[in-house]
Amino acid sequence: MSSEFDIIRDFFTRPTRHTDLSVGDDAALIQPSPDTQLAISADMLVAGTHFFTDAAPYDIGWKSLAVNVSDMAAMGAQPKWATLSIALAENDSHWLSEFARGFFTCADKFYVDLIGGDTTRGPLNISVTILGESPQGQALRRSGAKAGDDIWVSGHIGSAAAGLAHLQGKIMLEKDTLKACLDALHRPMPRVALGLALRNIASSAIDISDGLAADLGHILHASAVGAEIYFAKIPKLPALQATVSLNNGHAGFEAYALSGGDDYELCFTAPQQQRQRIADISRELDLKLTHIGNICAGSALTVYDAENRAMVLQKSGYDHFG
Ligand code: ADP
Ligand code: MG
């Protein structure tokens, strides 16, 4: 029977890259780079709410860090340090080693040191705090969008929600589409390089965790502007669009693209003069970037369908207390 300290030593203690004092003392010590601001964010994942309790532990480990890294991407910050507070129902060494493998695979990919945390017994619950750096005054915020700016999204939207709907038996996806959607759901790829490239280019940014309509809504609220977007321009996996339309009709697919959460793509705004630079970034990063509409005066989000009629939005986005 291993103790809490054995768990910390065996699964959560690794060599670090840029940390003065890491796991093992009463606190970690870090030295932020000169002329940077620290960007700090936390996200909690609760079994049964954010993931199925029997989900692959590798995926839970990856995703618990990836969703935090995504917040750094949305700020245009370079992620550097994380803490992990975890409540475990039991001491299952296979589960822990797979969880740690997923967590550290993500940490290695995105240059993050795990520098501390807390380990306790209780219903499975994972809380990560992440710290990143951004040159003084250059962080991307939700509040800078201006009327006339273009609205952009990265990657494909709605894949993770479609993967979840498949697991819940609501729709049936065929093999290749299912794989792409489950990858999006279980192993989201934070858009860090994009966030860094958008410093001094984007006027605002957010990561899409609660659904495009809800998260764009946060930009509109913070920036005191409205927006017009075109449903047909929202980039969806082509096969997904066909499958979901067959299963649920147009109204069903709308829900995945506009209010499906968990994609962890970036939604950002930029002045029209930046179009060429954004096209260059897309090519350099080999990442699809799509112009889906524009910021306007007012405060409303209007979504136009293929016939240019304003669509009536259903409940937008996931809200734990909604
Ligand atoms: P304390 O009693 O001071 O709270 P702990 O015994 O909780 O210390 O933790 C010992 C060390 O292990 C600390 O450096 C803490 O940050 C680290 N630690 C505990 N749990 C984790 C974890 N899940 N991941 C990474 N570091 C951890
Ligand atoms: Mg402690």
Side-chain angles (χ1 to χ4, degrees), residues 54 72 155 191 236 265 289:
D54 63 356
M72 296 293 102
R191 301 306 187 188
K236 315 119 189 155
E265 296 294 347
L289 298 177

Side-chain angles (χ1 to χ4, degrees), residues 164-219:
L164 178 63
H166 179 99
L167 294 180
Q168 293 171 330
K170 294 180 184 163
I171 57 171
M172 276 285 279
L173 298 175
E174 63 62 49
K175 201 162 152 277
D176 292 346
T177 311
L178 178 61
K179 187 183 177 312
C181 291
L182 291 183
D183 280 353
L185 177 65
H186 293 312
R187 286 183 291 275
M189 195 54 76
R191 301 306 187 188
V192 174
L194 175 61
L196 299 181
L198 289 174
R199 285 175 182 163
N200 300 313
I201 293 177
S203 51
S204 72
I206 192 167
D207 64 326
I208 304 175
S209 55
D210 297 330
L212 175 59
D215 289 317
L216 176 56
H218 294 316
I219 286 184

Side-chain angles (χ1 to χ4, degrees), residues 24-48:
D25 212 311
D26 292 310
L29 297 171
I30 57 175
Q31 179 68 60
S33 308
D35 303 318
T36 61
Q37 288 176 302
L38 280 179
I40 306 172
S41 175
D43 254 316
M44 180 158 67
L45 278 79
V46 177

Side-chain angles (χ1 to χ4, degrees), residues 232-290:
K233 290 190 180 178
I234 300 173
K236 315 119 189 155
L237 288 179
L240 179 60
Q241 177 146 23
T243 321
V244 178
S245 302
L246 253 178
N247 280 261
N248 278 15
H250 183 60
F253 187 69
E254 198 177 288
Y256 297 100
L258 289 171
S259 35
D262 261 3
D263 280 315
Y264 299 99
E265 296 294 347
L266 295 188
C267 174
F268 61 96
T269 62
Q272 294 180 14
Q273 309 83 272
Q274 299 290 1
R275 282 181 188 171
Q276 188 53 52
R277 288 179 76 183
I278 291 169
D280 294 342
I281 290 170
S282 173
R283 204 171 334 99
E284 282 157 24
L285 299 182
D286 190 22
L287 175 62
K288 187 178 174 73
L289 298 177
T290 309

Side-chain angles (χ1 to χ4, degrees), residues 19 26 29 43 46 51 71 75 85 94 96 102 109 118-119 124 142 149 157 164 171 186 190 197 246 264 276 279 304:
T19 301
D26 292 310
L29 297 171
D43 254 316
V46 177
F51 56 88
D71 284 316
M75 295 299 288
S85 296
H94 170 74
L96 276 163
K109 183 163 179 67
D118 203 17
T119 304
L124 181 58
R142 298 178 177 184
D149 284 355
I157 305 298
L164 178 63
I171 57 171
H186 293 312
L246 253 178
Y264 299 99
Q276 188 53 52
Y304 293 100

